Amino acid sequence: MASATTKDHSHIEIDDINEESQHMTEKDIVEKDMAPLPGSSIHRSSSRPQLDVSGAAIQGNFEEKDPAILLPNQTDDISHLALDIGGSLIKLIYFSRHADRQVDDGRKRKVKERLGVTNGSRRSYPILGGRLHFVKFETSKINECLDFIHSKQLHCGGMDPRCWPSDAPPSENAVIKATGGGAYKFADLFKERLGVSIEKEDEMNCLVSGANFLLKAIRHEAFTHMEGHKEFVQIDQNDLFPYLLVNIGSGVSMIKVDGDGQFQRVSGTNVGGGTYWGLGRLLTKCKSFDELLELSQRGDNSTIDMLVGDIYGGMDYSKIGLSASTIASSFGKTISENKDLEDYKPEDISLSLLRMISYNIGQIAYLNALRFGLKRIFFGGFFIRGHAYTMDTISFAVQFWSKGDAQAMFLRHEGFLGALGAFMSYEKHGLDDLMVHQLVERFPMGAPYIGGNVHGPPLGDLNEKISWMEKFVRKGTEITAPVPMAPPATTGLGGFEVPSSKGVLRSDASKLNVGVLHLVPSLEVFPLLADPKTYEPNTIDLSDHGELEYWFTVLSEHLSDLVDKAVASEGGTDDAKRRGDAFARAFSAHLARLMEEPAAYGKLGLANLLELREECLREFHFFDAYRTIKQRENEASLAVLPDLLMELDSLTEDMRLLTLIEGVLAANIFDWGSRACVDLYHKGTIIEIYRMSRKKMQRPWRVDDFDAFKERMLGSGDRKPQPHKRALLFVDNSGADIVLGMLPLARELLRRGTEVVLVANSLPALNDVTAMELPDIVAEAAKHCDILRGAAEAGGLLVDAMSNIQDGYKENTPSVPLMVVENGCGSPCIDLRQVSSELAAAAKDADLVILEGMGRSLHTNYNAKFKCDALKLAMVKNQRLAAKLVKGNIYDCVCRYEPAS
C-alpha cells in the first residue's frame, strides 16, 4: 500500500509477471501548463517499429502467475520513452523489460487445462513484461535529463539497460515522443546529444488521453475536497462520458470530453495560475509559486476583501442567500483604507488572490457544465498542485453557484496526464482496453506527493534504499519520518532531512501520494459476487479516527516480533538485521504518514494496511518471514492427521459434520498475525493448543448458522439434497489450520461427490499457506488417505509418480478432483474484485464458497453477498473486532451460512 515519504521519481509498473519485490518510486506529481487548442482525435504514431511475435513464448517460473512474453525474433529497437517538457519541469516516462528464467510447472499446467485457463490475451499483440517509470527533472537542468537517458541507453530502444553497452548507438530511425513547449525548444539538443529525433505530440491530445486512462483504470482516482475532507468517488467507466476537464495552467482551458479521442475546448479564461503567480510575485516578493501557496495558508483575506458583512453591518444578506463572510469584492476593502502596499501582510494578499482566482474559475467551470448538461467536472493543472486550500476554494465555488447540485472533483494522478498521454500515442503501447480490476496500486518507500518540487536523484538498488532509511531518526521506539526539503537543502540520498521540530503540520501534509500501478492482465472480478458494483471488501471503516489509531497501535506493537521472525528467516545475518531495521523504519514511516493524512494513499481500509505491511517486507527482500515456522507446524500437524481421520470416520454423519466445523474453528486459532495467539504459543505445543481449543468448542457460537448449513448438506427427514457440484475453500494459515481443519473438511466434501478447489495466497503473508506450498502438504496427507490421494491425482496435484505413498484405506478412488489455485494476492485479506484468472475460471462451476479465517471472512468479506451458497468460518482473535463486528469477546466463533442470493 503506502509510503511515508517524498521523492522525485515514480513509475507505473506494467507487470504481466507477479513480482515478489517492489521497486522504489521517486516522482512528485506536477501539473502541465496547457495552452488553449482546438479539439481533435488522438494521433497514433506509425513511426514505432512493429513487434515480431513469431516464436513468442511464455517466459517465467511456476511462482509467477502472469509470466512475461519472450519475443525471440524481435530485432527492431522499440522506443518506450516519452517526455513532457514544460517551462519548469521535464516529465519523463520510460519502459524497461524483465528478464526471467523459464521453468516448467506440470502441476499448475494440468490444473489450468482442467479449468480451461489459457495464457492468451484479448489483444492481437503481447504485453511486454516490465515497468513504466516516471521521472522528472527541472527544465533548467535539462542536461541532467539527457545524461539520465544516456546512462540507461533509453534512446537505444528502452530495453533492460543491463543488456546495453554504455556506448551503444541509437537506431538510425529512433524517435522519442514528447509534448509541451520544450518539445520544440530542445529538439536540436536531443538530436545533438543523443542522436534521436523528437516527435511532437499535441498537448491537449495528451492531456485528455491521460485523463481518460486514469479515470477508467484507477478505482479511486477521483475525489472531492471540502473543508479539508477528502472523499473518493467511484466512477463507473461505462458512465464516464461526457465530462468537463478544467486544466488550470497559466491560463485556463475547459474541455468537454465525449469519449476516447473525442473532445473540444469549449471555454476558458486568461485568469489562471499565471495571474496568481504574476500578481503574487509583484505584490508579495515571493520567489516561487510554492512559496506563494504556502504563504496563503497563514493569511486572513478579511483584512483585504470586502465581505457582505462589511456592507450590511456584520449581518447576512439572507434574502438572497449570502452569509456575512461571503466575499462581495476581492481587494475591495483596500479602496477605503488609507494604506500602502507595505501596510498589508503578504500572507493576506496571497490568500485574497487565491480566493479571487479560484472562485472565478469554479464559477465559470460550473456555468459551462450547466451549459452542456455535464454531470462531472474534473480539475487539474499546475495551479492546483495538490494544494488543499486551492481545492477547497474551487469546491466551495462550484457548490455555491450550483446550490449543491454539482461537485468539483480532482484526480490523484493528475500530474501524470500529459506524459502518460504522450506514451499512449505510441502504437501498441499496451494500455488499451484495460479494466479497473487489472491494475493494482502499491506504495513503495518514497511514493511521491502531488506537487511541483524536485527533491533529489532517484534511488537505485536495495543498499541505497537502506542507506536512505538509516537517515531516519530513531528516539526510543519512536520513528520520525523525513520531511521533503526544497533545494538546495537536499541530502543527495533522496532529498530528505529530518524535521527540525515535531507537532507542526507541514504544508504538504494534506497532499496525496502517487503510487505504483501494477498492470496484471490476468486479474479478474470474482464471478460469484452478487453485485460487484456495490461490493466493498473492507469491514472496518478507518475513516473513524479512533479505529485508525487503534489499528495503527496494533500493527506497531506487532512490529518488533515480525522483524525478529523476518531476520530469523534469513539466517540472522548482519545483512538481514540491517534490512530488518530498514523495514521497521519504513513501515513505521508509512503509518506515520497515514496517521497524518489517512487519505494519502487513496481510500483506506484495514485490508490495505495489512497488505502494505507485506509489500514493505518484500521491498526489503523478506519474501517469507514465517517460512521456518510454517514448515515446523505443518510437520507437527501432519503427524497427528491419521489419528484425526480415524476419529472422524468412526462418527455418525451428523456428528462428523459438526466435528469437522468445530475442527476448522478450533484450528483457526493458529494465527501469527494476532497478538493474543502469539502469546498462546508460549504456553504449549501446537497440538496441545489445538486440543485445548477443540474442547472449548461449545455451541451456540457467537454467530451460529450451523443448523442451516447442516440441513443444506444432509437434508432433513427423508429429503436428501443434491451435493454441491464444486466448492471453493479459501484457506488461511499453515499448520493445524490447513492440515487439521480445512483438509478434513475438504475430504468430507470429496466423499460426498463435490469437487474441491483449495484457494490459497499467491505470495506469502504472515503464516498463511500459499498455493505453491499446498500440493506438498496434500501429497503428505494423501499418504494416509485414499480419498485425498485419488482426488489429488484427479486434480493434477500428484503429477509425479508417488511410489513412496503407501496404500491407506481401501475405499474406491473418487472421480471428483481436488485442485489448488492461487487467489492472485499476497495479503492476509482478499479483495474479490481482483482475483487470479485461475480462481475466476474455477468459480464458474462452483456453487459453494467457504471463506475461512479472520482476514478473508471478517476483516474483509463479512458483508459480501454471493450468487451461490456461502459459509464464513473464523475464530475472532481480537477483542475490539469481536465487540464491534459480532458484539462478542475474543475467541468467540463465527459460523455464518448464507444461501445463494
Side-chain angles (χ1 to χ4, degrees), residues 400-414:
F400 177 84
W401 290 108
S402 70
K403 294 181 171 62
D405 291 339
Q407 285 183 310
M409 287 186 282
F410 307 91
L411 303 179
R412 291 184 58 233
H413 298 80
E414 53 165 347

Side-chain angles (χ1 to χ4, degrees), residues 9-204:
H9 163 256
S10 180
H11 59 272
I12 287 181
E13 181 167 320
I14 296 187
D15 190 6
D16 55 9
I17 69 170
N18 183 30
E19 287 199 299
E20 293 186 344
S21 61
Q22 304 311 313
H23 298 264
M24 189 68 179
T25 65
E26 303 128 2
K27 175 186 181 289
D28 300 88
I29 297 194
V30 166
E31 286 303 67
K32 289 181 50 51
D33 205 358
M34 280 294 304
L37 294 170
S40 59
S41 298
I42 190 76
H43 170 65
R44 301 287 189 207
S45 170
S46 59
S47 62
R48 180 170 176 263
Q50 301 297 298
L51 295 177
D52 183 352
V53 298
S54 61
I58 298 296
Q59 182 182 33
N61 61 46
F62 64 90
E63 300 179 26
E64 297 162 347
K65 67 177 178 180
D66 304 301
I69 295 177
L70 178 66
L71 305 177
N73 300 321
Q74 177 63 47
T75 56
D76 291 329
D77 295 337
I78 304 175
S79 177
H80 286 81
L81 173 64
L83 300 107
D84 177 0
I85 311 176
S88 59
L89 292 169
I90 300 171
K91 284 76 69 179
L92 178 151
I93 300 176
Y94 70 94
F95 182 82
S96 65
R97 288 285 305 275
H98 286 299
D100 299 281
R101 66 185 187 280
Q102 187 170 353
V103 177
D104 184 37
D105 180 10
R107 288 187 298 203
K108 191 169 184 178
R109 186 174 63 252
K110 187 168 183 179
V111 170
K112 282 189 171 186
E113 289 172 356
R114 174 177 284 275
L115 295 175
V117 180
T118 67
N119 288 317
S121 170
R122 291 175 295 128
R123 301 171 178 85
S124 60
Y125 55 92
I127 300 175
L128 300 175
R131 308 176 194 92
L132 191 62
H133 305 257
F134 281 61
V135 192
K136 72 178 178 183
F137 300 87
E138 294 175 38
T139 306
S140 61
K141 300 177 181 178
I142 190 172
N143 285 322
E144 290 183 6
C145 175
L146 296 172
D147 291 342
F148 179 82
I149 294 172
H150 186 269
S151 69
K152 289 186 172 293
Q153 294 291 288
L154 302 178
H155 57 306
C156 296
M159 298 299 186
D160 187 333
R162 292 171 297 181
C163 301
W164 294 92
S166 60
D167 57 350
S171 168
E172 185 174 318
N173 299 319
V175 297
I176 294 175
K177 294 288 192 144
T179 189
Y184 298 87
K185 182 177 180 179
F186 298 109
D188 291 343
L189 184 61
F190 273 80
K191 189 69 175 178
E192 177 186 337
R193 288 284 310 275
L194 301 177
V196 297
S197 300
I198 292 290
E199 187 167 317
K200 293 88 174 176
E201 293 297 322
D202 178 74
E203 287 187 77
M204 196 166 290

